[in-house]
Amino acid sequence: MARTSLAHRSRNTFDKAACDFIEQHASKKTRRWHEQARLLGVKPGDRSLIPNGLALRWSKRPVVEIDSQDIHLIVDETRHSGAPGLPRRSKAPTEARARATYSVLSKMFSWLVQQRRAPQNPCIGVHRPDTPKARDRVLSDAEIGEFWKAADAEPTIFGVPLKLLLLTGCRLNEVAGMHLTELSADQSMWVIPGERTKNKRAHAVPLSRLAQGILRSALECRGPSVLVFSTTNNSPVSGWSKVKARLDTQMDIPHWRLHDLRRTVATGMAEIGIQPHIIEATLNHISGAKSGVAGVYNRALYTAEKKAALECWAQHVETITAAKIVAFKRERA
């Protein structure tokens, strides 16, 4: 009996358990399993172990021996030094990364308990890092002008998606992963399939005249891939942290993120008089007027209203950016 127990412990080490969790559970249940795999120290592609990652560090440790003190220490290390084996996102303590590490470890051990591979979840009793405060950063009109000018300085493969973020209010992964098959023949409508949206609902985005013109410049120089924005022809364009760093050197805008553009679109639309339920439909939000029971019966797509709203917003952006360009030229004169 003791031999069987010892053999089971040797087969049930953290590295094997982490790979099994990703392969058998996370990759089938969550959209963000790639990030979960990396936090556990596993490469999403071939399931090999990340150098200096958590799975390699704990590769010989049976999961039954990992306790709450181990969990506390690794979460605290992630907070102050970054996740093991992964590049740091910030020199400051990162509460969000610490919370994500705690979360994936808790999910993994809960799954191991269900599979009878661990007697209990050692994350229970360990303080879950606090949820970060909701951001409310919205770019001012002047900052929108700075952003647009900085996007102009980027290569087309980055500059066009950046501008589309501001003109559509869509998420970065939605824009960066745009497929030719999602565009209508005249590029006036972009339909994002449910598997590419956060709420798993297909999202129709009427493209304004300004957005169509900007998109056309990218379509004219794209490669043979069905992906509109790609440097490899088989995966969406990436490297956005480097792009953001370049933008920051061009712009005098404090404490902003690319996702703030989405909030900027929503706020800006409200300020120019667009109704809240149309803004929600334009951003593919399921809340407010379309949440709960109301959402079951209110299936209106508001296509015409969304088209008018995005056209109105594009005109507002065009006015802002044109004014900024004129001011910039005067400064240079």
Side-chain angles (χ1 to χ4, degrees):
M1 189 75 171
R3 287 181 195 163
T4 302
S5 176
L6 184 60
H8 175 72
R9 287 157 66 93
S10 66
R11 289 195 303 269
N12 201 25
T13 53
F14 183 88
D15 58 331
K16 294 183 176 67
C19 289
D20 288 347
F21 169 72
I22 295 300
E23 180 74 35
Q24 300 173 27
H25 181 77
S27 62
K28 296 177 171 56
K29 297 290 185 180
T30 177
R31 184 175 61 91
R32 303 194 66 181
W33 69 271
H34 291 82
E35 177 67 8
Q36 292 183 346
R38 284 188 282 266
L39 288 171
L40 291 174
V42 178
K43 292 182 181 179
D46 58 9
R47 310 294 194 269
S48 61
L49 303 188
I50 294 173
N52 302 316
L54 184 58
L56 188 61
R57 181 188 296 183
W58 286 353
S59 61
K60 304 303 180 185
R61 294 194 62 181
V63 293
V64 297
E65 294 182 0
I66 295 172
D67 59 22
S68 60
Q69 181 66 5
D70 294 315
I71 302 298
H72 168 77
L73 290 174
I74 200 64
V75 170
D76 197 52
E77 176 185 334
T78 300
R79 175 184 292 110
H80 294 287
S81 305
L86 301 183
R88 293 195 64 178
R89 294 178 173 176
S90 171
K91 293 181 180 179
T94 54
E95 200 70 17
R97 260 284 170 96
R99 183 178 176 83
T101 298
Y102 175 94
S103 178
V104 69
L105 285 168
S106 183
K107 288 175 182 177
M108 172 182 155
F109 275 100
S110 292
W111 180 78
L112 291 172
V113 170
Q114 292 174 359
Q115 301 298 311
R116 299 293 190 268
R117 292 176 60 174
Q120 60 187 10
N121 183 347
C123 296
I124 296 174
V126 178
H127 173 69
R128 178 189 292 271
D130 296 331
T131 303
K133 294 180 180 179
R135 287 180 60 82
D136 57 4
R137 182 73 163 89
V138 173
L139 272 63
S140 67
D141 285 357
E143 290 173 335
I144 289 174
E146 289 285 340
F147 167 78
W148 196 269
K149 179 160 63 72
D152 273 333
E154 286 291 318
T156 299
I157 193 70
F158 296 117
V160 171
L162 286 170
K163 290 182 177 181
L164 290 178
L165 290 177
L166 182 62
L167 293 173
T168 65
C170 290
R171 295 179 172 86
L172 179 58
N173 64 323
E174 294 170 346
V175 174
M178 181 186 289
H179 282 232
L180 278 178
T181 55
E182 297 170 359
L183 295 168
S184 62
D186 62 355
Q187 287 96 49
S188 65
M189 180 65 73
W190 171 33
V191 179
I192 312 172
E195 58 265 26
R196 290 214 312 110
T197 64
K198 185 176 181 179
N199 61 18
K200 303 303 179 185
R201 293 174 182 259
H203 180 36
V205 185
L207 296 175
S208 64
R209 288 189 294 272
L210 179 58
Q212 291 176 51
I214 291 169
L215 178 60
R216 198 170 297 118
S217 65
L219 293 174
E220 290 171 353
C221 62
R222 71 175 189 83
S225 170
V226 295
L227 290 164
V228 176
F229 308 111
S230 178
T231 55
T232 64
N233 290 325
N234 55 34
S235 62
V237 62
S238 58
W240 293 103
S241 59
K242 294 180 180 179
V243 173
K244 175 60 165 56
R246 291 198 299 270
L247 293 175
D248 286 341
T249 63
Q250 296 274 341
M251 303 159 57
D252 185 22
I253 300 180
H255 311 302
W256 77 286
R257 301 175 186 173
L258 288 175
H259 192 71
D260 294 339
L261 295 171
R262 183 170 165 84
R263 190 179 306 104
T264 299
V265 173
T267 303
M269 282 185 166
E271 289 176 347
I272 61 177
I274 297 169
Q275 294 297 306
H277 65 286
I278 302 303
I279 297 174
E280 287 192 348
T282 301
L283 299 184
N284 200 22
H285 276 172
I286 305 299
S287 59
K290 295 194 73 174
S291 64
V293 176
V296 174
Y297 295 100
N298 186 358
R299 297 295 186 184
L301 296 176
Y302 301 118
T303 302
E305 291 87 346
K306 285 161 57 176
K307 180 179 179 180
L310 285 168
E311 192 64 52
C312 188
W313 171 245
Q315 291 172 9
H316 180 71
V317 170
E318 199 165 19
T319 300
I320 294 170
T321 55
K324 184 65 183 180
I325 290 169
V326 168
F328 179 68
K329 287 180 177 178
R330 285 174 179 166
E331 290 172 7
R332 293 284 299 271

